[in-house]
Amino acid sequence: MKNTAHINPLENEAIYIIREVAAQFEKPVLLFSGGKDSITLVRLAQKAFHPAKIPFPLMHIDTGHNFPETIAFRDKLVEELGLELIVRNVQDSIDQGKVREESGKYSSRNVLQTTTLLDAIDEFKFDACIGGARRDEEKARAKERIFSVRDDFGQWDEKNQRPELFDMLNGEIEHGQNVRVFPISNWTELDVWSYIEKETLEIPSIYFSHKRRTFLRDGMIWTASEHVYREDDELVEERTVRFRTVGDMSCTAAVNSHAATISEVVAEIRVSTISERGARIDDKRSEAAMEKRKQQGYF
């Protein structure tokens, strides 16, 4: 294992932030996708409140097009740790006519999650939503504060951010507002993987090399599934792949890889020249795709 001494200050910072959330807000929730970042958040929250249980629920906004391995892992984790899990489904938002199902080559339910999330925040009156976003993921993420205020419509104004020093986290909000909190904002993808290795955390199997029925499009490797649009001439082949990021399967591409252990994944990430978000087609819809979604209330 490589030297991970730098992880300790990051861990301490994240634990401090999580404790501040519990101290400053009345109804926090941890947004949980079953991916590596939210799994890391759960471990950090465990450490923040040990020996007590995590004092707030986990919530997953389920698109209905998630990887089965991720859903199975989610359910296993919350059962083992005895945590409360809230699940709200994008399909319900579609059935209620609040959002419209996309169609065509780049159709995805990922964008539709925003409406379901905002409805869930209003339903439970959550005033702080803890998420696993990191500043190195995407340029719009880099504009976020650790405590990032949303208005009473769930919208984010990137031009109206509070000044923020690490030890002065400002949780004061107006009625109807809520805050998105990013405890691992200062971590990198490699930091997360190094932490997973250090803590020997269990993660979904799709993060490791495996054989999967896939097809190629736009130089990217897609899962052959009923939820993923595929042209007749896009041939399905079995490939040895893994996933660097986990989202809706219709917007998350795989990468060729033979990394079958966490240490092999860490070694692979160390030499990678492509961002993990390079495998997310939803970020490529426009130059400012992520920023526009965040302005509307996205994670």
Side-chain angles (χ1 to χ4, degrees), residues 14 17-18 21 29-45 56 58-59 117 128-138 141-142 144-146 148 150 179-193 196 207 244-246 276-277 280 290 294 298-299:
I17 293 166
I18 292 170
V21 172
V29 65
L30 192 154
L31 302 177
F32 187 79
S33 67
K36 66 185 185 305
D37 298 319
S38 55
I39 292 168
T40 296
L41 285 179
V42 169
R43 172 52 61 89
L44 291 165
F56 38 73
L58 276 55
M59 182 166 70
L117 172 64
C129 299
I130 304 170
R134 308 186 321 271
R135 288 178 174 139
D136 74 320
E137 288 182 274
E138 200 271 347
R141 299 284 202 201
E144 290 276 20
R145 299 293 191 263
I146 290 173
S148 184
R150 269 38 175 194
V179 169
R180 305 292 168 80
V181 181
F182 305 111
I184 61 172
S185 185
N186 291 326
W187 297 42
T188 65
E189 181 189 14
L190 182 58
D191 290 333
V192 170
W193 277 108
I196 289 170
Y207 279 115
R244 285 179 65 181
T245 179
V246 172
E276 63 181 307
R277 299 294 298 197
R280 294 290 289 267
M290 172 66 81
K294 288 172 69 63
Y298 187 71
F299 300 172

Side-chain angles (χ1 to χ4, degrees), residues 192-204:
V192 170
W193 277 108
S194 297
Y195 190 73
I196 289 170
E197 182 178 29
K198 173 175 172 285
E199 295 289 314
T200 62
L201 298 181
E202 185 179 355
I203 57 175

